[in-house]
Amino acid sequence: MAVNKVGKQTLVFKNPPVIADGATIVGPKEGQGPIGRHFDKVLDDDMWGEDSWEKAESHMYDSTVRMVLEKCKLSVDQIDVMLGGDLLNQLIASNYAARELAIPFLGLYGACSTMSESLGLGSILLDGGYATHVVASCSSHFSTAERQYRNPLGLGNQRPLSAQWTVTGCGATVLTNQGVGPKITHFTIGRVMDYGVTDATNMGAAMAPAAADTIATHLYDTQRSPSDYDLIVTGDLGLIGRQLAIDLLKKSGQDVSRVFNDCGCMIFAEDQDTHSGGSGCGCSAVVFNAYLLNMLRTGEYKRILLTATGALMSPTSSLQGESIPAIAHAIAIEWGGQPTEGA
Amino acid sequence: MAVNKVGKQTLVFKNPPVIADGATIVGPKEGQGPIGRHFDKVLDDDMWGEDSWEKAESHMYDSTVRMVLEKCKLSVDQIDVMLGGDLLNQLIASNYAARELAIPFLGLYGACSTMSESLGLGSILLDGGYATHVVASCSSHFSTAERQYRNPLGLGNQRPLSAQWTVTGCGATVLTNQGVGPKITHFTIGRVMDYGVTDATNMGAAMAPAAADTIATHLYDTQRSPSDYDLIVTGDLGLIGRQLAIDLLKKSGQDVSRVFNDCGCMIFAEDQDTHSGGSGCGCSAVVFNAYLLNMLRTGEYKRILLTATGALMSPTSSLQGESIPAIAHAIAIEWGGQPTEGA
């Protein structure tokens, strides 16, 4: 058994990395949602002066990272490594941003689970003494995702009620090995789960088993119960997936219903007509780096479990008749101190 | 400064992870090449009984991982985490393999740099006490890559002489925190570099600056010279990129020419008509897990620097007029012991 691991899949940080700060840039629709006032910058339009949506997403990524560095009074040179990714083929949003930033970069692909994957791996680098400052980050963009995964927007296809709305947004976190603030204490690495869902417009159902598996494993590994958390929050299950995850966890003996929510259900209001809620790796990235971080800093939440969830199919695998595998990684964060400056 | 880091970008392992074993499966063309006898399994055809090339690649991935576990007499349950990726959109080769294996999985995207990215992150997990057994892995497939990045094979497009041939192959390594064998001592994390190359059929030229930057940084960080290595080997620069990397390093004051080679130049013979050599993340994965590992075990090489290189463009970014950014990550491996059993 590894010394910094408990149970089957959970890493424990003996020198828990501190969340120095987070930054977020979102699109107009996200800014109009119920937690809109928490975001650092709301764009007026999702092209942001670029000549393609893909370039706009990369611009947003680069700017969000520079914004969080500015908040932390850090220069690019002081960052040991940036970890991140996005939903686009070959990670062009994050790779082109990493080119502009010229920071040592480790590219990750976990679909919409990337925010917790990057926070988890970043925490390992800090806790293990391999770095003093790390950026964890990811982005998504409604229009780049529609173009790549679904139909050209110009067709105006009707979206089924189970469909989710890809969040236009980027979130970036600076993690450090010193200072005060919310700390990352555990990282539960998920397994790929597949219950045979083949409907790419019902990703919440495809991802719910992976979310439930990782949360149940985390609770088992740490010998905690749901009531040990003020909030257990998934990435982007949406309304349908959230209920399925609650039901699956109940079957495995864990009643999480009192402390459970989903970033995809928090970011948009019902009258914003997104159907089942938000999705995309930007979803958990911006909800975490804005709203959840503020709630931790003001003491509203003392301990949360952030469980970002990713659907791992591609248009190619769907066309070849494959079902949709999914993964979820969980990060335990706690902060029992006084409200911090940034709160 | 982090305690387990030297210079700007290089992590140092105080408990250097041991390479327990490697396994490789390759396509027919790779099996006919100059190092063909080193591969564990050579396929008769690149469909391998599946009804799509993508499914064949995923099958190859799953089988290579099972093969290396069998060599190490380990069960799937004994693996703490698998790290890996491939070139396909949304990593469908590795994600679908991870579904079959049901191992905790961290998906990486570094294009053809994925083998050293996975070995590096796996080494951190072991050295830091977060795991006892890790699988590092990646794959590529000529026909899936042609379909996705270039032209349908049926068109029979002529390939320019600067083009490289995507290797059909998967390599998987088991790393552990105990035992004897070649050890990973350093991990130099690369930065994204872009010298403005826009020709997607000349990826060697696009990747050479990233390779040179990472190698020069590694030598500077560790205060080593090229002659401290028996071999400095890049991932898949091919004939054109290899020469460019040697020239760029010479300009930065490092003459690597006596110890330098490239996996893309080693895997195919000139009469195999691949033009500039092999490419794809399977290229460094299979050359490393077969030929290089054997050379380390027999004592032919005492110390090598494996520098896998990735071109990070996508067809979308190329169509939008972007140049090709690239990245390279380097892993220092040494073995001064007696030839080991598997040699």
Side-chain angles (χ1 to χ4, degrees):
Chain A
M1 187 72 181
V3 291
N4 295 317
K5 187 178 164 192
V6 291
K8 289 192 298 176
Q9 291 164 233
T10 302
L11 314 188
V12 184
F13 302 123
K14 291 194 176 135
N15 310 294
V18 174
I19 297 171
D21 218 330
T24 50
I25 298 179
V26 298
K29 192 179 183 89
E30 291 72 18
Q32 290 153 12
I35 57 170
R37 68 183 176 85
H38 291 272
F39 301 124
D40 293 308
K41 185 176 177 68
V42 178
L43 302 180
D44 291 329
D45 80 291
D46 74 353
M47 286 288 274
W48 207 12
E50 299 289 341
D51 57 10
S52 75
W53 292 313
E54 288 75 14
K55 288 182 184 177
E57 184 176 349
S58 196
H59 180 182
M60 190 168 70
Y61 205 119
D62 176 55
S63 298
T64 308
V65 174
R66 290 183 197 275
M67 187 188 286
V68 75
L69 294 183
E70 201 172 312
K71 283 187 179 190
C72 296
K73 299 182 178 60
L74 290 168
S75 69
V76 166
D77 290 344
Q78 290 173 279
I79 302 301
D80 294 292
V81 58
M82 178 166 95
L83 300 112
D86 56 272
L87 296 179
L88 297 182
N89 299 340
Q90 291 79 53
L91 306 189
I92 50 173
S94 46
N95 277 325
Y96 282 90
R99 176 183 71 179
E100 301 307 315
L101 292 159
I103 303 177
F105 179 62
L106 292 168
L108 311 177
Y109 187 79
C112 307
S113 71
T114 305
M115 194 65 231
S116 49
E117 185 179 359
S118 65
L119 287 168
L121 281 168
S123 297
I124 291 168
L125 285 163
L126 292 162
D127 181 57
Y130 306 101
T132 59
H133 297 90
V134 163
V135 171
S137 51
C138 63
S139 74
S140 57
H141 189 295
F142 174 75
S143 303
T144 66
E146 287 299 310
R147 163 140 68 192
Q148 179 179 286
Y149 286 104
R150 285 169 282 266
N151 299 296
L153 283 173
L155 283 182
N157 283 53
Q158 194 170 4
R159 303 168 63 250
L161 288 174
S162 59
Q164 294 173 243
W165 190 277
T166 306
V167 164
T168 299
C170 180
T173 315
V174 168
L175 301 176
T176 171
N177 62 352
Q178 53 201 352
V180 291
K183 293 182 180 196
I184 297 179
T185 59
H186 298 80
F187 175 27
T188 301
I189 302 173
R191 298 182 297 156
V192 177
M193 307 290 289
D194 188 340
Y195 276 26
V197 173
T198 54
D199 180 0
T201 63
N202 191 357
M203 290 192 300
M207 292 190 286
D213 184 67
T214 298
I215 293 166
T217 302
H218 175 84
L219 295 173
Y220 177 85
D221 286 351
T222 57
Q223 295 291 299
R224 289 180 175 176
S225 69
S227 61
D228 289 321
Y229 287 94
D230 298 315
L231 181 71
I232 295 177
V233 60
T234 44
D236 57 341
L237 297 181
L239 294 165
I240 294 172
R242 179 176 65 175
Q243 191 55 50
L244 287 171
I246 290 171
D247 293 348
L248 285 167
L249 280 161
K250 192 166 274 175
K251 278 191 186 164
S252 74
Q254 298 287 3
D255 182 1
V256 296
S257 56
R258 285 187 205 179
V259 294
F260 197 78
N261 209 343
D262 176 72
C263 297
C265 301
M266 295 157 80
I267 194 165
F268 294 123
E270 207 182 326
D271 63 6
Q272 287 186 286
D273 201 28
T274 61
H275 300 347
S276 194
S279 68
C281 47
C283 182
S284 55
V286 301
V287 173
F288 169 68
N289 281 292
Y291 178 74
L292 295 175
L293 196 49
N294 285 345
M295 292 298 110
L296 281 160
R297 284 169 152 184
T298 54
E300 186 76 21
Y301 298 138
K302 301 284 189 206
R303 189 190 274 170
I304 70 170
L305 187 68
L306 175 71
T307 314
T309 39
L312 301 169
M313 83 296 184
S314 84
T316 302
S317 62
S318 295
L319 286 170
Q320 293 183 359
E322 268 289 8
S323 52
I324 303 173
I327 198 162
H329 303 296
I331 300 285
I333 307 165
E334 59 185 54
W335 173 235
Q338 293 301 308
T340 53
E341 212 177 285
Chain B
M1 186 73 182
V3 291
N4 295 319
K5 186 179 165 192
V6 290
K8 289 192 298 177
Q9 291 163 231
T10 302
L11 314 187
V12 184
F13 301 122
K14 292 195 176 134
N15 310 296
V18 174
I19 297 170
D21 218 329
T24 50
I25 299 179
V26 299
K29 191 178 183 89
E30 291 71 17
Q32 290 153 13
I35 57 170
R37 68 181 176 86
H38 291 272
F39 301 124
D40 293 309
K41 183 174 179 68
V42 178
L43 303 180
D44 290 331
D45 81 293
D46 74 353
M47 285 289 274
W48 207 12
E50 300 289 340
D51 58 11
S52 75
W53 292 313
E54 289 75 13
K55 288 183 184 177
E57 183 175 349
S58 196
H59 180 182
M60 190 168 71
Y61 205 120
D62 176 56
S63 299
T64 309
V65 174
R66 291 184 197 275
M67 187 189 287
V68 75
L69 294 183
E70 199 172 314
K71 282 187 178 190
C72 296
K73 299 182 177 59
L74 290 168
S75 69
V76 167
D77 290 343
Q78 290 173 280
I79 301 301
D80 294 292
V81 58
M82 178 166 95
L83 299 112
D86 55 90
L87 295 179
L88 297 183
N89 299 340
Q90 292 78 51
L91 307 189
I92 51 174
S94 45
N95 278 325
Y96 282 90
R99 176 184 71 179
E100 301 307 314
L101 291 159
I103 303 179
F105 179 61
L106 292 168
L108 311 177
Y109 186 79
C112 308
S113 71
T114 304
M115 194 66 230
S116 48
E117 185 179 358
S118 65
L119 287 168
L121 282 167
S123 296
I124 291 168
L125 285 163
L126 291 162
D127 181 58
Y130 306 101
T132 59
H133 296 90
V134 164
V135 171
S137 51
C138 63
S139 74
S140 57
H141 189 294
F142 174 75
S143 302
T144 65
E146 287 299 310
R147 162 141 68 192
Q148 178 178 288
Y149 287 104
R150 285 168 284 266
N151 298 295
L153 283 173
L155 283 182
N157 284 51
Q158 194 170 5
R159 302 169 64 250
L161 288 175
S162 59
Q164 294 172 242
W165 190 278
T166 305
V167 164
T168 298
C170 180
T173 315
V174 168
L175 300 176
T176 170
N177 62 352
Q178 54 200 353
V180 290
K183 293 182 179 195
I184 297 178
T185 60
H186 299 81
F187 175 27
T188 302
I189 302 174
R191 298 181 298 156
V192 177
M193 307 289 288
D194 187 340
Y195 276 26
V197 174
T198 54
D199 180 359
T201 62
N202 191 356
M203 290 191 301
M207 293 190 285
D213 185 68
T214 297
I215 292 166
T217 302
H218 175 84
L219 295 172
Y220 177 85
D221 286 351
T222 56
Q223 296 291 300
R224 288 180 175 176
S225 69
S227 61
D228 288 321
Y229 287 94
D230 297 316
L231 180 71
I232 295 177
V233 60
T234 45
D236 56 343
L237 298 181
L239 293 166
I240 294 172
R242 177 175 66 174
Q243 191 55 50
L244 287 171
I246 290 171
D247 293 349
L248 285 167
L249 280 161
K250 192 166 275 175
K251 278 190 186 165
S252 74
Q254 298 286 3
D255 182 1
V256 297
S257 56
R258 285 187 203 177
V259 294
F260 198 78
N261 210 343
D262 176 72
C263 297
C265 300
M266 295 156 80
I267 194 165
F268 294 122
E270 207 181 323
D271 63 6
Q272 287 186 286
D273 201 26
T274 61
H275 300 347
S276 194
S279 68
C281 47
C283 181
S284 55
V286 301
V287 173
F288 169 68
N289 280 292
Y291 177 74
L292 295 175
L293 196 49
N294 285 345
M295 292 298 110
L296 282 159
R297 284 169 152 183
T298 54
E300 186 76 21
Y301 297 138
K302 301 284 189 206
R303 188 191 275 170
I304 71 170
L305 187 68
L306 175 71
T307 313
T309 40
L312 302 170
M313 83 294 181
S314 84
T316 301
S317 61
S318 295
L319 285 170
Q320 293 183 359
E322 269 288 7
S323 52
I324 303 172
I327 199 162
H329 303 296
I331 300 285
I333 307 165
E334 58 184 55
W335 173 234
Q338 293 300 307
T340 55
E341 211 177 285

